[in-house]
Amino acid sequence: MKIYNRLSLLLIIFSVFLSCESKNLDTSKKDIIEDPIENKIDSILSKMSLEEKIGQTAQRGKSSRVKELPADLKEAVRKGQIGSFLNIMNKNDAKELQRIAVEESPSKIPLIFARDVIHGFKTIFPIPLGQAASFNPLLVKEGSRVAAIEASTSGIRWTFAPMLDISRDPRWGRIAESAGEDPYLTSVMAEAYIKGFQGEDLSSPTSMAACAKHFIGYGAAEGGRDYNTANINENLLHNTYLKPFKKAVEAGSATFMTSFNELNGVPASANKYILKDILRDEWGFDGFVVSDWNSIIEMVNHGFAKDEKEAAEKSINAMLDMEMTSTSYHDHLKQLINEGKFSEKQLDTIVKNILRIKLRLGLFENPYFDPNDAILYDKKHLASAQETATESTVLLKNKNNLLPLNSKNKLAIIGPLANAPHEQLGTWTFDGEKEHTITPLKSFQQDDQYTIQYSEGLSYSRDKSTDGFGNAIKAAKSSDVILFFAGEEAILSGEAHSRASINLPGGQEDLITELHKTGKPIVLIVMAGRPITLGNIIDKVDAVLMAWHPGTMGGPALKNIITGKVSPSGKLPITWPKEVGQIPIHYNHKNTGRPVIPEEFVYMDSIPIAAWQSSLGNTSHYLDAGFLPQYPFGYGLSYSNFRYADVSISSTSPKIGDTITVKAMITNTGKIKAKETVQLYFRDMVGSLTRPVKELLRFKKVTLEAGASKEVIFNFSTDDLAFYGPDKIWVTEPGDFKLWVSKHSMDEANELEFTLE
Ligand code: BGC
């Protein structure tokens, strides 16, 4: 590992301290000028030509199909025309490009190498939606630390993660990469990812700059079709979509990425309101913003710019700092400046933003990296990935306590995901290797306690052939229990992989139906990048475990859960629909003037023939699908049971500015040690803008031995109840509130009330 020059290390530590401090202070010029990093930026900038300044705004890639480093790329680096690269995975290429930048380019400014290290580099953790289901930010932080340690051995000091798009639509393929539907949970996860990627000190050679993406509204795509239009009103924008991004700034995210979509008619990559007014002026973000892949020039397709030059003009004026892959800044900025459409002074601000992060990363002192491959797949990394996969798994159904199984059970292991090492890694895993992945089948086979018969039945998730059904049924008949590993291949979720039906694809439902006829109990284990609608088969299976795409160590994690070594503890970070027509369906919806009255609901098949014209039930529901999801947000069973008691609140008439404390005594009434995520929800009963029926306010995951009790204490301030109101400011309005200490978002057994004065 490179040895630091002592003085520069001190300088960096001091400047990081100063820059953190300055976030709490007024970031007026005076404070910035005293920052040694700012002094250094000024000194570098003063020697840069216009061409080099424009060069810093350029991020280029190299196609993995091209083996040699193209000579024109090297030449561009030599001239100072490139500030960053993405996806340079040949270590020699990365080193050579960096050498040219720091030795031969005019100002010797190091490059920053980026990659999508989303849920692990080599050691793959569960997809982010799965990690959110752990409700355990410590594990998430640990996982992103592991990712940074591994990725930095290839010179990657910048990851395009975390994705913080609120996702209410499981048809959208990128829901897999999100933390689900809730702004509070996503904010907690945002902080955990950023702190993990960036480490204690951004200048450490094992730290990666985080990138909060996609700013903003990408998850609100119409119909869940990727890249589609987002119409988000001010209320929703501030109270839901922006919240995790604000948290990202507070957690020190070094960079942001704009989204592909337009927001209310203005593409995000040229949206001054979000990029300048909110991100810079209101939140004080001082890192840099990168476009998404070609998202600047795609504004021509959006119909927002007549050509690439106008697209560049619009993005640069919105202060979008760096352009990913396309070259409109490189091609047109000089001319735009000459024409007075943008000033060199404004460009200086942009270049400063980029240099600031390069300096904070210590790239000037340590431009190269240590290719220490020995730490890839380190034992500790694998253990951490297994723990996260374990805590991410959600038990959704467990009829007659079928799970956990005992070792005497003869098992039939069936299904296309039982032994699919590549598929269980999930989306965005360019670097994970299936050779290192442990599948559930492998895990069971390695343990001679179990009698196993394996028959995949279907060779991949979309397989429609019934050729394998016979053998699978035979295996089932001679076993006690069927473990059916179902789901989606990795490629069916992720970018551009939206689905209009989110049932199990291929012949999986048919095979389950056939297996059900054997009369053997079925444990359905789902590995997928999204909730899967189970309506056609839910009554044919006895237990359901949602494992998401669990990553490298999914096999041992699932085996330990199935066999009862550990109790499942994941909770859903997203409402699970019964059928696709219910989407969008999310727990934190508004009440409407005609909320559902369960007793008055009339199911479609119960309507008399030739019924008199009426509005039947008169509430907001579907005649065929009702009003309930399959499983609510926050839901997840355990092998144990938990009693919630002695729920109390510190004051029933607190004043604005007070801290409020809610306590509850949680007891593990079962026979085994287990973890429980205790959730605190609130409702602001009357607002100057209508408020959601429920909002997650806090949660705590506790571990309890059998029979043990623990008091869970939640503290929150009245600021935590605030919302962005009609006057376009955050307000906490006096009045009546309800609180629930709950097992999930529909559990209202422990209700509290208070009136804010
Ligand atoms: C995705 C980004 C990603 C980028 C670079 C884009 O297509 O939307 O999330 O970071 O590619 O790979």
Side-chain angles (χ1 to χ4, degrees), residues 154 321 553 588:
S154 288
D321 304 292
M553 298 302 283
N588 46 5

Side-chain angles (χ1 to χ4, degrees), residues 86-87 116 160 174 177 213-214 218 257 260 292-293 324 428 495:
L86 79 165
N87 300 343
D116 293 277
F160 297 134
R174 293 198 85 168
E177 204 182 332
K213 72 184 189 186
H214 304 83
Y218 190 38
M257 185 190 292
F260 287 121
D292 203 344
W293 189 288
M324 186 193 289
W428 286 117
E495 186 171 348

Side-chain angles (χ1 to χ4, degrees), residues 55-320:
Q56 284 305 303
T57 69
Q59 182 179 64
R60 295 288 148 74
K62 173 178 101 59
S63 161
S64 48
R65 270 164 288 179
V66 180
K67 288 271 166 303
E68 291 291 302
L69 247 190
D72 60 332
L73 272 190
K74 291 202 236 179
E75 195 46 30
V77 174
R78 196 165 284 118
K79 287 189 182 150
Q81 290 175 342
I82 297 181
S84 168
F85 276 96
L86 79 165
N87 300 343
I88 300 288
M89 286 318 289
N90 179 317
K91 293 181 191 183
N92 292 333
D93 287 353
K95 286 204 161 161
E96 174 60 2
L97 290 169
Q98 191 68 302
R99 190 198 61 73
I100 297 172
V102 299
E103 288 180 15
E104 297 178 12
S105 77
S107 294
K108 311 203 173 348
I109 299 170
L111 297 161
I112 172 170
F113 292 95
R115 187 152 178 87
D116 293 277
V117 183
I118 308 294
H119 51 113
F121 181 62
K122 293 286 179 186
T123 305
I124 301 295
F125 286 68
I127 55 167
L129 190 59
Q131 293 197 42
S134 75
F135 276 73
N136 190 338
L138 289 178
L139 286 181
V140 172
K141 184 175 165 196
E142 203 175 286
S144 45
R145 191 84 286 281
V146 167
I149 290 169
E150 291 194 356
S152 56
T153 65
S154 288
I156 300 160
R157 296 294 308 281
W158 180 19
T159 177
F160 297 134
M163 190 186 100
L164 305 177
D165 299 303
I166 296 296
S167 311
R168 293 172 165 181
D169 194 330
R171 290 171 299 182
W172 189 50
R174 293 198 85 168
I175 196 170
E177 204 182 332
S178 78
E181 74 190 28
D182 184 65
Y184 177 70
L185 178 62
T186 306
S187 301
V188 171
M189 293 302 160
E191 183 173 16
Y193 278 112
I194 291 163
K195 299 256 164 152
F197 287 135
Q198 299 196 164
E200 294 286 302
D201 173 0
L202 201 54
S203 74
S204 153
T206 66
S207 290
M208 282 197 297
C211 183
K213 72 184 189 186
H214 304 83
F215 203 54
I216 194 159
Y218 190 38
E222 265 182 21
R225 290 182 295 278
D226 209 357
Y227 316 120
N228 223 287
T229 305
N231 283 310
I232 308 176
N233 66 36
E234 280 279 291
N235 171 3
L236 199 58
L237 183 67
H238 288 267
N239 290 309
T240 301
Y241 287 88
L242 284 170
K243 272 186 175 173
F245 288 93
K246 179 155 192 280
K247 184 47 110 189
V249 174
E250 288 163 6
S253 184
T255 73
F256 266 56
M257 185 190 292
T258 59
S259 50
F260 287 121
N261 56 283
E262 65 159 78
L263 172 71
N264 306 331
V266 180
S269 294
N271 198 313
K272 276 191 192 165
Y273 175 54
I274 58 161
L275 294 175
K276 278 184 79 188
D277 301 356
I278 295 177
L279 183 61
R280 298 281 177 191
D281 299 347
E282 200 182 314
W283 296 349
F285 176 66
D286 69 356
F288 70 87
V289 182
V290 65
S291 75
D292 203 344
W293 189 288
N294 288 359
S295 68
I296 297 181
I297 61 168
E298 285 175 11
M299 294 196 302
V300 176
N301 284 345
H302 276 285
F304 193 71
K306 68 173 187 296
D307 53 23
E308 292 189 6
K309 183 177 170 205
E310 193 176 60
E313 181 188 339
K314 291 196 166 177
S315 288
I316 200 86
N317 274 297
M319 301 303 277
L320 201 177

Side-chain angles (χ1 to χ4, degrees), residues 254-512:
T255 73
F256 266 56
M257 185 190 292
T258 59
S259 50
F260 287 121
N261 56 283
E262 65 159 78
L263 172 71
N264 306 331
V266 180
S269 294
N271 198 313
K272 276 191 192 165
Y273 175 54
I274 58 161
L275 294 175
K276 278 184 79 188
D277 301 356
I278 295 177
L279 183 61
R280 298 281 177 191
D281 299 347
E282 200 182 314
W283 296 349
F285 176 66
D286 69 356
F288 70 87
V289 182
V290 65
S291 75
D292 203 344
W293 189 288
N294 288 359
S295 68
I296 297 181
I297 61 168
E298 285 175 11
M299 294 196 302
V300 176
N301 284 345
H302 276 285
F304 193 71
K306 68 173 187 296
D307 53 23
E308 292 189 6
K309 183 177 170 205
E310 193 176 60
E313 181 188 339
K314 291 196 166 177
S315 288
I316 200 86
N317 274 297
M319 301 303 277
L320 201 177
D321 304 292
M322 188 181 275
E323 179 172 20
M324 186 193 289
T325 57
S326 52
T327 58
S328 68
Y329 280 11
H330 171 270
D331 299 342
H332 304 291
L333 276 194
K334 199 166 178 182
Q335 200 185 343
L336 288 170
I337 290 172
N338 287 340
E339 290 169 4
K341 305 249 171 70
F342 189 68
S343 71
E344 188 165 351
K345 197 154 170 267
Q346 283 171 293
L347 180 62
D348 285 352
T349 305
I350 280 179
V351 176
K352 282 180 176 190
N353 292 337
I354 296 168
L355 293 179
R356 189 173 295 120
I357 297 307
K358 289 187 173 183
L359 282 157
R360 285 185 187 157
L361 280 163
L363 287 172
F364 284 82
E365 291 76 16
N366 274 309
Y368 301 109
F369 54 95
D370 175 10
N372 177 10
D373 287 353
I375 58 158
L376 305 174
Y377 300 111
D378 184 274
K379 263 194 188 149
K380 283 194 212 130
H381 299 180
L382 295 172
S384 173
Q386 181 171 330
E387 199 180 345
T388 309
T390 306
E391 292 210 13
S392 297
T393 301
V394 190
L395 177 63
L396 294 171
K397 176 175 180 177
N398 198 14
K399 195 171 149 194
N400 303 326
N401 293 329
L402 174 62
L403 288 176
L405 304 180
N406 65 57
S407 59
K408 290 187 197 82
N409 291 141
K410 278 197 278 171
L411 308 177
I413 296 188
I414 299 175
L417 272 295
N419 195 32
H422 171 74
E423 310 308 342
Q424 77 180 50
L425 295 180
T427 183
W428 286 117
T429 51
F430 297 126
D431 305 289
E433 294 146 312
K434 65 177 184 181
E435 296 72 24
H436 287 263
T437 304
I438 309 183
T439 64
L441 178 70
K442 222 193 248 171
S443 298
F444 275 99
Q445 283 170 337
Q446 277 163 1
D447 189 338
D448 50 20
Q449 271 199 77
Y450 296 91
T451 316
I452 286 159
Q453 291 197 63
Y454 170 58
S455 177
E456 61 184 8
L458 292 159
S459 56
Y460 60 106
S461 74
R462 289 164 292 156
D463 188 358
K464 294 193 180 81
S465 159
T466 53
D467 293 354
F469 282 25
N471 281 344
I473 292 164
K474 214 163 120 200
K477 282 187 175 155
S478 56
S479 303
D480 302 319
V481 181
I482 300 164
L483 298 183
F484 193 94
F485 289 88
E488 291 177 320
E489 296 146 74
I491 196 68
L492 298 187
S493 59
E495 186 171 348
H497 297 158
S498 300
R499 296 181 59 205
S501 155
I502 54 170
N503 286 353
L504 286 174
Q508 296 184 80
E509 290 191 348
D510 291 343
L511 180 53
I512 290 169

